[in-house]
């Protein structure tokens, strides 16, 4: 086997592994458990939560920001 064939077979193998891994990730991320919008009883529970304010969840306990580039508000 010459050098060119060796490199081409290696690249084909890497491309095959990448395609299989990408397909697996795509299938896993598109499972019904991910991205499902709340409905019925679950939606009512979210809307009644004391942490749900102005159409988003907010932390009710003050948290000290430890990053230097972020100012406390």
């Amino acid at each position: 086997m010459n050098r060119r064939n060796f490199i081409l077979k290696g690249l084909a193998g890497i491309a095959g592994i990448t395609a299989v891994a990408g397909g697996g990730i795509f299938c896993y991320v598109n499972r019904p458990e991910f991205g499902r919008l709340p409905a019925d009883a679950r939606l009512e529970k979210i809307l009644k939560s004391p942490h749900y304010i102005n159409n988003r969840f907010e932390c009710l306990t003050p948290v000290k920001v430890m990053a230097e580039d972020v100012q406390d508000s």
Side-chain angles (χ1 to χ4, degrees):
M1 178 182 322
N2 63 20
R3 185 180 199 183
R4 182 178 178 188
N5 287 341
F6 179 77
I7 291 173
L8 291 177
K9 286 184 180 183
L11 291 176
I14 291 171
I17 292 170
T18 303
V20 169
I25 291 170
F26 178 80
C27 290
Y28 183 77
V29 171
N30 286 314
R31 293 173 53 111
E33 292 87 5
F34 295 112
R36 184 175 45 192
L37 295 175
D40 303 327
R42 186 169 177 238
L43 179 60
E44 291 299 320
K45 185 177 179 181
I46 289 171
L47 294 174
K48 290 179 183 178
S49 171
H51 296 275
Y52 193 72
I53 303 168
N54 297 328
N55 295 325
R56 66 181 211 174
F57 282 98
E58 294 187 12
C59 182
L60 300 180
T61 308
V63 178
K64 181 174 173 71
V65 177
M66 297 176 62
E68 295 177 5
D69 59 340
V70 178
Q71 297 178 357
D72 291 336
S73 52

